[in-house]
Amino acid sequence: MKIRLLITLCILLSACSFTNHEKLEPLYIGFIGDYSKFERIETDDGLKSFRYASDRVLSGFYSKIIIDPVEFYPAEVHSEQISAELFAKTKAYINENLAEVAALSLEVVEKPQAGALRLTPRISAIKISPGDVKIRELIPVGSLIALGKAAAGYRYENVDIYMEFKATDSMDGDFIGGSVKQGKAGEISGFNEVVTFDHIKPLLDIWIKDAKGVFEKLKQFNDKNRTSLIERL
């Protein structure tokens, strides 16, 4: 009977962890402010992503972009497992790669001007959460071992990252779009393992690739708008 209860508990825990990223977590958003117009979008990576784009963005008016340096919102929170060095590497990597992929489709500028949107990225959290119960742990003996490790602090843990991208018109500052991303990066052991950049880089690469796709779509809107204007002349 006890073994059956343990198996049931493991299955429930697994189900909860699977649905953990199905909704926005209010605790880790706030930079953008109003999320009422954001909608869940399906991405190839299967991660949780919410996005909003105003008619101004879709009009094809924006062919230039200003990218603000990424910072943490509201502030960096260090610990024994998450260091200031990790934050510094994360910011540098996002800043460099985001600018590179943006330049493939848009003109990257430094000063506000007509036709330029301002993109402000913010990381709202890099945190550690309890790990999922893996399928291989759902056999009776494995379940006992897994739960025993969890109690002793040896179970693996997830490294979660939460990030927001806010887009405004560079001239008037109006909010014109944005996205919220929340996903699991790597896994660490539950025995005070330190989070390294290698743990989170794969997830950052996925998000940068997604940003590249957004910039490409903006270019498509611009090209379509330009063609329409030429046809009218």
Side-chain angles (χ1 to χ4, degrees), residues 1-149:
M1 178 63 70
K2 289 184 178 179
I3 290 177
R4 289 182 180 178
L5 288 175
L6 286 172
I7 295 175
T8 302
L9 175 61
C10 288
I11 294 174
L12 289 174
L13 287 172
S14 180
C16 290
S17 64
F18 180 76
T19 58
N20 186 40
H21 294 292
E22 292 302 315
K23 295 180 181 180
L24 275 175
E25 297 182 37
L27 184 61
Y28 300 106
I29 58 175
F31 173 65
I32 292 177
D34 182 7
Y35 302 87
S36 60
K37 296 181 180 180
F38 280 68
E39 295 182 355
R40 171 71 183 266
I41 61 169
E42 296 298 327
T43 57
D44 293 337
D45 49 56
L47 299 173
K48 181 167 63 174
S49 185
F50 293 79
R51 187 174 295 163
Y52 165 70
S54 68
D55 291 338
R56 291 177 68 176
V57 173
L58 303 178
S59 68
F61 175 70
Y62 297 99
S63 60
K64 304 174 185 178
I65 186 170
I66 299 171
I67 303 179
D68 292 328
V70 64
E71 295 292 346
F72 282 77
Y73 174 88
E76 296 184 12
V77 179
H78 306 154
S79 68
E80 293 183 357
Q81 291 177 273
I82 301 178
S83 66
E85 181 183 1
L86 173 67
F87 287 152
K89 287 184 177 180
T90 300
K91 291 190 291 186
Y93 189 78
I94 294 174
N95 288 334
E96 179 181 354
N97 286 274
L98 200 59
E100 285 185 1
V101 296
L104 297 175
S105 300
L106 305 169
E107 180 183 354
V108 180
V109 297
E110 296 182 358
K111 297 181 179 180
Q113 54 193 276
L117 65 81
R118 178 183 292 275
L119 183 66
T120 306
R122 290 290 182 267
I123 300 172
S124 52
I126 297 179
K127 74 180 188 72
I128 297 172
S129 65
D132 306 336
V133 176
K134 292 182 179 295
I135 296 299
R136 59 180 167 79
E137 296 176 337
L138 295 182
I139 60 174
V141 175
S143 299
L144 292 171
I145 294 174
L147 292 174
K149 287 182 178 179

Side-chain angles (χ1 to χ4, degrees), residues 138-178:
L138 295 182
I139 60 174
V141 175
S143 299
L144 292 171
I145 294 174
L147 292 174
K149 287 182 178 179
Y154 289 97
R155 280 290 305 279
Y156 78 89
E157 296 173 313
N158 297 327
V159 180
D160 299 324
I161 306 178
Y162 301 79
M163 192 164 184
E164 300 184 42
F165 294 84
K166 182 179 181 180
T168 56
D169 184 280
S170 67
M171 296 293 287
D172 59 28
D174 285 352
F175 174 66
I176 57 176

Side-chain angles (χ1 to χ4, degrees), residues 144-218:
L144 292 171
I145 294 174
L147 292 174
K149 287 182 178 179
Y154 289 97
R155 280 290 305 279
Y156 78 89
E157 296 173 313
N158 297 327
V159 180
D160 299 324
I161 306 178
Y162 301 79
M163 192 164 184
E164 300 184 42
F165 294 84
K166 182 179 181 180
T168 56
D169 184 280
S170 67
M171 296 293 287
D172 59 28
D174 285 352
F175 174 66
I176 57 176
S179 66
V180 178
K181 297 181 177 298
Q182 300 178 352
K184 184 178 78 171
E187 297 175 355
I188 60 173
S189 68
F191 194 57
N192 296 324
E193 181 181 353
V194 175
V195 180
T196 68
F197 184 70
D198 289 338
H199 287 118
I200 66 176
K201 181 180 179 296
L203 180 58
L204 298 181
D205 286 339
I206 290 173
W207 287 350
I208 290 169
K209 181 180 178 181
D210 182 58
K212 180 176 181 288
V214 172
F215 297 144
E216 290 173 347
K217 286 187 177 181
L218 280 176

